[in-house]
Amino acid sequence: MRRLALIALPLALSGCFYPADRGRALETRLEKLDASQAQLQAELKQTREQLDATLPKIDAKIAEVSKALQSLDNASRRSGADIGIQLQKTVEDLAQLRGQVETYLYKIGELEGALTKTNEETEKRLLALKGEEALKEAEAKKKAEELKRPTDKKEFLALAQEKAKGGDVPVARQLYTEFLKKWPKDALAAEAHFGLGETYFSEDKCREALHEYGKLLQEYPKADSTPNAYLRSSECFKKLKMQDESRLALEELVKGYPKSEAAKTAKARLTELDKAKKAEPKKGGKK
């Protein structure tokens, strides 16, 4: 029961929160941008439909011209003036239809450009509203997209770990997240959760880190990194001023994984906590 409570707590603690006023501003901005995008998309759809309706007419005119040319061999039955008038009218009709197509293509290009610009502005404004952290994540995502992805899952995980060790934490986080989307049930997902938790821990984002450690403790209790996840959880709880939970994580680590290296560290920390507790003056006692 104590272990279940310890696992559930990090999952409940995790999440991103924004102040109410920033949230309302974000919603208002999104509504305006969504309306603008919807209008552009509607105009683009209408123009494309007009183009689709015009193209068959051009095909028909071309067929008509081909037919007229094929019938020139029988022109002796008609005057040259009649043939010239017919061909002239056909050429004029084609020119008019071609002009319509060019207008539609130009308009489509403009609308697509405007839509792309609106999307870019939307992304920039959202990032500005969310703050510097969101901007860093967006830059990391863009940088990660430029990396060549290994198809092998072990190599993929190794790439994420390499980026993390090299100090490129945002890109490593992006790769770990991507790994978990590609192979969510694989045994290596345990290491991905731990690695992702470590990226947050390195930036003192304890709530986010606890969420990943909690996933590991809950779903992969026999993974190699699970003892270290308990140890890290204890450190996170301590930073969050949750002393009881911090101690509980150490106790569960020693109990569940007594032969691990992490358990040795946990025992030493528990000993220090016990000494500190004994050294505290009793309430109501003499100083």
Side-chain angles (χ1 to χ4, degrees):
M1 184 62 71
R2 279 155 50 93
R3 180 176 177 275
L4 291 176
L6 184 65
I7 291 173
L9 188 56
L11 301 179
L13 281 173
S14 65
C16 298
F17 302 95
Y18 295 96
D21 56 344
R22 183 178 294 181
R24 286 191 294 271
L26 181 59
E27 290 175 1
T28 302
R29 179 67 66 180
L30 279 173
E31 289 173 359
K32 291 180 179 179
L33 292 172
D34 286 345
S36 176
Q37 286 179 323
Q39 183 179 354
L40 286 171
Q41 288 172 345
E43 290 181 15
L44 185 59
K45 181 181 178 182
Q46 182 182 7
T47 305
R48 281 177 173 162
E49 288 174 350
Q50 291 173 335
L51 178 61
D52 291 340
T54 302
L55 289 175
K57 295 180 182 179
I58 293 178
D59 293 337
K61 279 295 177 183
I62 292 173
E64 184 180 334
V65 171
S66 298
K67 185 177 180 181
L69 291 173
Q70 290 173 1
S71 66
L72 284 177
D73 290 338
N74 302 321
S76 58
R77 300 178 185 179
R78 303 170 60 187
S79 68
D82 290 339
I83 294 173
I85 291 172
Q86 182 181 2
L87 288 175
Q88 181 63 30
K89 185 177 184 303
T90 303
V91 169
E92 290 175 355
D93 289 343
L94 276 172
Q96 183 179 2
L97 290 170
R98 188 181 296 112
Q100 291 179 6
V101 170
E102 290 175 353
T103 300
Y104 293 147
L105 289 174
Y106 177 77
K107 189 174 181 181
I108 285 174
E110 279 193 328
L111 288 169
E112 287 179 337
L115 195 57
T116 300
K117 185 178 180 181
T118 303
N119 287 335
E120 290 175 353
E121 290 178 354
T122 299
E123 186 175 354
K124 288 179 181 178
R125 289 172 181 173
L126 287 175
L127 291 174
L129 284 169
K130 290 181 179 179
E132 185 180 350
E133 192 60 39
L135 183 59
K136 287 182 180 179
E137 291 295 332
E139 290 175 351
K141 183 177 180 181
K142 185 177 180 181
K143 189 176 179 181
E145 287 172 353
E146 296 172 356
L147 288 174
K148 185 177 179 180
R149 302 290 199 280
T151 54
D152 181 77
K153 56 189 177 183
K154 291 183 179 179
E155 293 178 2
F156 197 108
L157 183 62
L159 177 61
Q161 292 170 334
E162 178 187 336
K163 292 296 178 182
K165 289 179 181 178
D168 203 346
V169 174
V171 173
R173 185 178 299 148
Q174 180 69 28
L175 291 171
Y176 280 128
T177 302
E178 204 171 308
F179 181 95
L180 290 169
K181 288 180 180 179
K182 285 178 177 289
W183 299 284
K185 301 298 181 182
D186 192 90
L188 290 175
E191 301 307 315
H193 277 298
F194 183 75
L196 186 55
E198 290 291 89
T199 66
Y200 288 121
F201 183 83
S202 67
E203 296 178 343
D204 284 332
K205 297 178 180 177
C206 284
R207 291 177 181 272
E208 291 87 346
L210 279 168
H211 177 75
E212 298 303 327
Y213 297 144
K215 282 276 190 179
L216 181 56
L217 303 182
Q218 182 181 37
E219 299 176 15
Y220 305 95
K222 295 183 179 180
D224 292 339
S225 54
T226 300
N228 288 326
Y230 270 108
L231 198 59
R232 286 297 203 204
S233 295
S234 174
E235 293 174 28
C236 282
F237 283 128
K238 185 177 180 180
K239 289 183 178 182
L240 293 171
K241 309 299 181 184
M242 301 172 69
Q243 305 301 336
D244 291 342
E245 289 77 6
S246 177
R247 183 184 182 92
L248 176 59
L250 295 175
E251 291 173 346
E252 288 297 320
L253 169 55
V254 172
K255 179 181 177 182
Y257 310 88
K259 296 181 180 180
S260 66
E261 286 297 318
K264 294 179 182 178
T265 303
K267 289 177 182 177
R269 290 181 183 178
L270 286 170
T271 300
E272 291 175 4
L273 289 173
D274 290 338
K275 288 181 179 178
K277 190 173 182 180
K278 290 179 180 179
E280 290 179 0
K282 295 182 180 180
K283 294 182 179 179
K286 294 183 180 179
K287 294 183 181 181

